[in-house]
């Protein structure tokens, strides 16, 4: 029996909730919240002037180093970084080694998450065996074992026929297909968005249209099959226009983006900075602004970290040979808050993009402030400043595309099932 | 003394006085080389390493000769590109070079930005001798010197760079140098070999060769990389030659005294007709090679002087 925790005098923000007052946690559950609650005997009182209390963040897209890439990151180190970033629920990508294409591996990831005591891991299952894009994996068995959706991770499902089958078959289990929207025949060998900047650096380009082409195709296939498609880390205005229209047409189409795509553009590459090599590649400024507009108008359903741990050997290479991807657990909240501070998003809208909306897509009950809800909580100070510095980030992975950036918004504490796991 | 950078990694970003200084110094080395005199004490005791991850007899020999003429100890290192992890080789090599007390490091690498990466890790002054499809700064300098010696100036000339612009580091370095020095630069070639956003580098884009050569002072041909052809940007060498190969008929659209240049090695009958390549008055291709040695002497000289100032 742990003591009650009473948060007092904080701004409480969650889906449908925005008030300043108190919130009481008992036995790992939110029992009450309101403008003023009484203080139970023995309760631990938490108060910080100007702090915001929100549901623990729900990150719907992150790669873990386990199994197979422990040199990049272990689940234990990812859990430390997640807790420091206010994340309490994380959907893990299946393109590991081996790929998550077997029910036993799904159960393994769930239990490894439970072992951390601070992070719920919701595994995605592979769409195809080994995430190789050839044969359909056992989606039904994976679903039964707890897979919360299907994706081949950073690899696009290139074959139209295979995507049709996957959408159609997954629909029978009420599951979504999460697509990395990039036409693989156009992106093969590319290292940066095709543009003046890439031309100056002599880097092989990927046309921005590679994203829109795949989105266009999959929207047609969603219409054909009645299946649900979700586009991950959408980064171009053209693709977002297509998604906006498909949503208006009533199709089961959703999408997320990640902080690099609304905070950075291709100029972050500078002189061959491999930490800014991402997949999809950073885009032109007009695309960054289009992503921001789509966050504001609701076209984008969630902000995910798109965490891709890499070690120095993956990155200290000539740009085209370096592994793409940036770590993102610790910076998810801070970078998003920059766009609350500059007026692009309201605080409640930003919090929903990080909690209730991704939770709904994952079929999870997490991400809500409600009486009776599990007390997964994040307390942060929106105005305090910290600097992203390689070598000082929590967890193992240090490959942040935001290295050197000052962020306004410091996580003061993270609670998992009512237990303080950070701060 | 204008050029105060530690390395020569790219032409992009250089200011006109820096370029002029290198060209003027190179010109003095042309005269010195022709007079048969030597200046073997300038780089005495310094070590120059030619580190080539790609084969290139011409550029490597040119740097070797330049280094030896100035009295440096020159070592040639060829690194196999077939090793599985090239990146590890690159940084391991950097550590080795530091241990060898290398002063001047000439690097050619198949990956854009590899010299920039090395420059972060080695103590030596790094000279980019061609990286991927990024830059080849000494080639642009030797082209500029060749032009200047024939035309008496660089500024105000109209220069057509023709062929595979997309995969050419020579084209990029020349575009930066020539636009910086006040030329009208045109790029000419099929749309599939034009990189995205090239016009934003300050050039005019032509797909029609004759229109692109109209009134040009200089016609700069590029090598068509045969291995890139297989990936489909052009259907066949003969089709390329028909539309973008330089022959007498197309050259007639340029000015009557227009000069023909090529960085070599040439694919005769693909991007250039032999009669043009060997033309006694129009082709300056052989002279480009001579200018190469002088330009590289100037570059080595300037970078070594910079090191002297830094108490090396």
């Amino acid at each position: 029996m742990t003591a009650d925790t009473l948060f007092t005098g904080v701004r409480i923000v969650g889906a449908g909730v925005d008030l300043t007052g108190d919130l009481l946690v008992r036995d790992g559950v939110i029992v009450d919240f309101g403008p003023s609650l009484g203080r139970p005997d023995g309760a631990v009182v938490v108060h910080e002037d100007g702090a915001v209390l929100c549901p623990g963040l729900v990150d719907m897209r992150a790669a873990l180093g386990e199994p197979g890439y422990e040199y990049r990151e272990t689940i234990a180190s990812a859990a430390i970084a997640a807790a420091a970033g206010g994340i309490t629920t994380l959907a893990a990508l299946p393109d590991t080694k081996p790929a998550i294409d077997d029910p036993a591996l799904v159960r393994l990831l769930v239990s490894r998450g439970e072992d951390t005591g601070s992070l719920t891991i919701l595994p995605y299952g592979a769409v195809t065996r080994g995430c190789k894009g050839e044969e359909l994996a056992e989606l039904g068995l994976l679903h039964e074992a707890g897979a919360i959706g299907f994706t081949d991770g950073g690899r696009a499902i290139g074959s139209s026929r295979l995507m049709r089958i996957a959408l159609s078959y997954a629909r029978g289990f009420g599951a979504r297909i999460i697509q990395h929207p990039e036409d693989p025949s156009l992106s093969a060998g590319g290292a940066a968005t095709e543009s003046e900047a890439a031309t100056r650096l002599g880097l092989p380009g990927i046309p921005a249209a590679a994203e829109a082409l795949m989105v266009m195709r999959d929207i047609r296939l969603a219409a054909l099959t009645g299946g649900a498609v979700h586009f991950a880390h959408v980064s171009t205005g053209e693709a977002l226009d297509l998604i906006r229209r498909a949503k208006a047409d009533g199709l089961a189409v959703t999408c997320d983006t990640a902080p690099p795509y609304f905070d950075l553009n291709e100029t972050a590459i500078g002189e061959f900075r491999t930490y800014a090599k991402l997949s999809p590649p950073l885009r032109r400024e007009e695309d960054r602004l289009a992503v921001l507009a789509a966050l504001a108008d609701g076209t984008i359903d969630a902000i995910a970290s798109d965490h891709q741990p890499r070690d120095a050997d993956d990155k200290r290479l000539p740009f085209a040979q370096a592994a793409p991807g940036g770590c993102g657990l610790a910076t998810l909240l801070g970078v998003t808050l920059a766009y609350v501070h500059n007026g692009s998003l309201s605080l409640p809208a930003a919090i929903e993009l990080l909690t209730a909306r991704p939770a709904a897509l994952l079929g999870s009950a997490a991400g809500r402030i409600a009486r009776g809800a599990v007390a997964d909580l994040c307390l942060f100070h929106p105005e305090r400043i910290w600097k992203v510095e390689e070598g000082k980030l929590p967890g193992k992975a240090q490959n942040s595309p935001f290295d050197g950036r000052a962020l306004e918004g410091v996580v003061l504490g993270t609670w998992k099932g009512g237990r303080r796991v950070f701060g | 003394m204008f050029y105060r950078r530690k390395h020569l990694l790219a032409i992009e970003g250089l200011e006109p006085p820096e370029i002029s200084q290198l060209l003027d110094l190179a010109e003095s080395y042309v005269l010195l080389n022709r007079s048969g005199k030597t200046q073997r004490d300038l780089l005495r005791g310094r070590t120059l390493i030619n580190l080539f991850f790609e084969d290139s007899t011409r550029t490597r020999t040119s740097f070797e000769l330049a280094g030896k003429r100035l009295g440096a100890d020159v070592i040639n290192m060829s690194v196999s590109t077939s090793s599985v992890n090239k990146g590890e080789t690159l940084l391991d090599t950097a550590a080795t070079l530091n241990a060898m007390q290398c002063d001047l490091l000439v690097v050619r690498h198949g990956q854009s930005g590899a010299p920039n990466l090395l420059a972060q890790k080695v103590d030596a002054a790094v000279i980019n001798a061609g990286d991927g499809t990024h830059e080849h700064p000494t080639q642009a300098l030797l082209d500029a010197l060749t032009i200047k010696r024939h035309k008496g100036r660089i500024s105000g000339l109209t220069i057509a760079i023709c062929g595979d612009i997309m995969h050419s580091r020579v084209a990029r370095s020349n575009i930066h140098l020539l636009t910086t020095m006040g030329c009208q630069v045109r790029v000419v070639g099929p749309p599939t070999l034009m990189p995205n956003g090239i016009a934003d580098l300050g050039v005019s884009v032509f797909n029609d060769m004759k229109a692109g050569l109209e009134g040009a002072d200089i016609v700069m041909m590029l090598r068509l990389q045969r291995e890139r052809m297989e990936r489909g940007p052009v259907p066949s060498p003969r089709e390329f030659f028909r539309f973008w190969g330089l022959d007498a008929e197309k050259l007639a659209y340029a000015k009557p005294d227009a000069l023909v240049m090529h960085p070599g090695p040439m694919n005769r009958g693909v991007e250039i007709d032999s009669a043009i390549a060997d033309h006694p008055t129009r082709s300056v291709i052989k002279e480009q090679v001579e200018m190469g040695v002088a330009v590289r002497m100037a570059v080595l000289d300037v970078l070594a002087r910079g090191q002297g100032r830094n108490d090396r």
Side-chain angles (χ1 to χ4, degrees):
Chain A
M1 218 51 191
T2 52
D4 294 352
T5 303
L6 181 70
F7 297 89
T8 69
V10 291
R11 181 172 173 190
I12 303 165
V13 180
V17 176
D18 185 3
L19 60 92
T20 298
D22 304 348
L23 182 144
L24 181 65
V25 174
R26 178 172 296 153
D27 299 335
V29 169
I30 299 169
V31 290
D32 200 7
F33 60 94
S36 181
L37 302 180
R39 177 177 171 179
D41 288 342
V44 175
V45 175
V46 179
H47 170 77
E48 287 275 352
D49 279 332
V52 174
L53 184 68
C54 72
L57 308 190
V58 178
D59 181 1
M60 74 173 295
R61 184 182 179 86
L64 300 174
E66 285 188 60
Y69 299 99
E70 289 80 2
Y71 73 95
R72 289 173 171 167
E73 184 146 83
T74 60
I75 285 173
S77 76
I80 289 167
I87 297 165
T88 51
T89 302
L90 176 150
L93 292 172
D95 45 347
T96 44
K97 202 163 67 182
I100 310 303
D101 60 0
D102 188 282
L105 291 167
V106 173
R107 290 189 201 99
L108 175 75
L109 279 183
V110 171
S111 85
R112 294 299 305 277
E114 286 163 0
D115 292 346
T116 67
S118 63
L119 184 65
T120 298
I121 295 178
L122 302 176
Y124 285 113
V127 176
T128 62
R129 287 175 199 270
C131 291
K132 287 182 180 154
E134 290 156 13
E135 303 165 70
L136 201 62
E138 294 165 318
L139 304 194
L141 294 177
L142 292 167
H143 178 72
E144 197 175 53
I148 39 76
F150 300 97
T151 177
D152 277 353
R155 176 196 272 264
I157 299 153
S159 154
S160 305
R161 181 186 149 274
L162 194 59
M163 187 61 173
R164 177 194 179 173
I165 291 171
L167 281 167
S168 186
Y169 191 70
R171 178 181 165 231
F173 297 100
R176 252 183 204 85
I177 303 293
I178 288 84
Q179 173 73 299
H180 166 72
E182 192 172 49
D183 181 320
S185 72
L186 284 175
S187 64
T193 297
E194 202 172 276
S195 71
E196 179 198 345
T199 291
R200 282 180 188 274
L201 293 171
L203 293 175
I206 301 171
E211 182 171 284
L213 271 173
M214 193 55 104
V215 166
M216 195 182 294
R217 184 201 75 174
D218 287 352
I219 288 171
R220 295 304 309 141
L221 290 175
L224 177 67
T225 59
V229 64
H230 176 91
F231 298 109
H233 46 214
V234 178
S235 59
T236 64
E238 209 184 337
L240 288 163
D241 287 344
L242 292 163
I243 293 166
R244 196 175 279 121
R245 213 170 309 143
K247 286 185 160 194
D249 291 345
L251 293 170
V253 171
T254 53
C255 69
D256 68 75
T257 192
Y261 303 109
F262 58 85
D263 188 62
L264 300 173
N265 63 29
E266 58 182 358
T267 61
I269 292 170
E271 276 196 20
F272 305 103
R273 243 183 99 235
T274 56
Y275 279 13
K277 182 178 178 183
L278 306 176
S279 175
L282 290 170
R283 305 296 190 185
R284 306 184 72 159
E285 176 64 5
E286 55 261 40
D287 283 317
R288 184 187 76 86
L289 295 173
V291 171
L292 213 45
L295 281 170
D297 75 12
T299 302
I300 295 175
D301 299 276
I303 300 172
S305 73
D306 207 12
H307 179 69
Q308 294 282 344
R310 299 286 181 251
D311 89 334
D313 288 344
D314 296 323
K315 287 289 188 183
R316 274 185 211 146
L317 290 168
F319 195 89
Q321 293 177 331
C327 67
L329 299 175
T331 49
L332 175 61
L333 179 65
V335 178
T336 302
L337 286 175
Y339 296 87
V340 173
H341 294 309
N342 81 2
S344 302
L345 295 171
S346 70
L347 182 65
I351 297 297
E352 281 190 49
L353 284 161
L354 294 168
T355 57
R357 293 179 71 187
L361 291 173
L362 298 169
S364 163
R368 283 169 185 80
I369 299 279
R371 288 175 189 89
V374 172
D376 288 356
L377 296 165
C378 166
L379 184 74
F380 64 94
H381 197 291
E383 271 115 39
R384 273 185 215 161
I385 291 172
W386 65 290
K387 192 173 173 187
V388 183
E389 276 181 274
E390 183 181 3
K392 292 187 180 172
L393 289 168
K396 192 164 187 219
Q398 300 292 319
N399 56 304
S400 174
F402 303 108
D403 188 32
R405 195 186 190 303
L407 292 177
E408 238 181 308
V410 170
V411 176
L412 303 169
T414 305
W415 284 260
K416 180 70 186 170
R419 196 174 68 86
R420 191 162 190 161
V421 293
F422 173 76
Chain B
M1 181 100 184
F2 300 107
Y3 195 97
R4 291 174 176 276
R5 299 167 204 258
K6 184 181 176 190
H7 309 289
L8 176 63
L9 299 174
I11 296 291
E12 184 175 14
L14 295 190
E15 300 293 334
E18 296 177 291
I19 293 168
S20 296
Q21 180 202 6
L22 290 169
L23 294 180
D24 291 346
L25 187 59
E27 190 140 25
S28 74
Y29 279 121
V30 172
L31 301 175
L32 189 79
N33 289 341
R34 285 188 179 173
S35 74
K37 288 182 196 151
T38 55
Q39 199 161 1
R40 293 196 185 271
D41 51 349
L42 224 96
L43 295 185
R44 190 181 304 282
R46 306 239 190 189
T47 304
L48 182 157
I49 297 184
N50 270 323
L51 180 62
F52 278 59
F53 293 85
E54 272 186 348
D55 291 334
S56 159
T57 313
R58 184 181 301 240
T59 306
R60 184 182 55 70
T61 313
S62 180
F63 270 108
E64 186 174 357
L65 203 52
K68 285 183 171 166
R69 287 206 175 140
L70 295 175
D73 297 321
V74 181
I75 294 159
N76 291 317
M77 286 175 70
S78 291
V79 184
S80 163
T81 48
S82 61
S83 58
V84 184
N85 194 336
K86 293 170 203 167
E88 260 185 16
T89 305
L90 192 61
L91 290 190
D92 290 348
T93 309
T96 309
L97 294 168
N98 280 342
M100 288 178 181
Q101 318 274 318
C102 166
D103 300 291
L104 296 153
L105 180 65
V106 176
V107 186
R108 159 144 322 176
H109 198 285
Q111 290 289 328
S112 301
N116 303 64
L117 184 61
L118 266 176
Q120 291 169 19
K121 306 286 173 191
V122 297
D123 303 326
V126 176
I127 299 143
N128 179 5
D131 63 325
T133 55
H134 176 221
E135 285 227 33
H136 190 352
T138 55
Q139 179 69 44
L141 288 165
L142 76 88
D143 288 341
L145 182 60
T146 309
I147 293 167
K148 189 172 169 232
R149 286 174 55 85
H150 276 271
K151 297 290 179 188
R153 66 191 167 112
I154 298 174
S155 173
L157 296 175
T158 298
I159 295 171
I161 305 176
C162 311
D164 182 356
I165 309 293
M166 182 181 283
H167 301 109
S168 178
R169 52 197 175 208
V170 173
R172 283 172 179 75
S173 286
N174 266 307
I175 288 168
H176 293 309
L177 190 150
L178 296 168
T179 54
T180 302
M181 298 307 280
C183 296
Q184 304 296 315
V185 180
R186 302 170 179 177
V187 290
V188 185
T192 46
L193 293 175
M194 282 297 167
N196 189 298
I198 189 77
D200 296 325
L201 272 62
V203 300
S204 330
V205 180
F206 291 82
N207 297 130
D208 181 81
M209 184 92 165
K210 290 170 183 170
L213 295 197
E214 184 82 52
D217 295 290
I218 305 286
V219 181
M220 216 177 247
M221 300 307 298
L222 300 170
R223 177 179 166 79
L224 188 74
Q225 306 280 339
R226 298 259 194 162
E227 57 276 17
R228 319 264 194 209
M229 299 274 292
E230 284 156 22
R231 289 163 59 187
V234 176
S236 71
R238 71 170 187 173
E239 177 156 328
F240 185 84
F241 185 71
R242 169 71 185 83
F243 293 99
W244 296 282
L246 187 65
D247 55 17
E249 188 204 340
K250 296 192 194 91
L251 183 58
Y253 286 80
K255 281 191 184 159
D257 62 346
L259 298 176
V260 175
M261 304 176 73
H262 192 296
M266 288 181 277
N267 293 304
R268 291 169 183 265
V270 179
E271 71 258 358
I272 191 161
D273 188 56
S274 266
I276 301 296
D278 301 330
H279 195 283
T281 56
R282 307 295 292 276
S283 167
V284 293
I285 295 169
K286 286 192 198 100
E287 195 179 325
Q288 286 174 272
V289 179
E290 183 193 350
M291 295 305 117
V293 177
V295 154
R296 285 158 186 142
M297 289 170 80
V299 169
L300 296 175
D301 182 358
V302 165
L303 294 181
R305 280 193 227 174
Q307 291 177 335
R309 203 184 55 237
N310 297 332
D311 301 323
R312 270 189 62 100

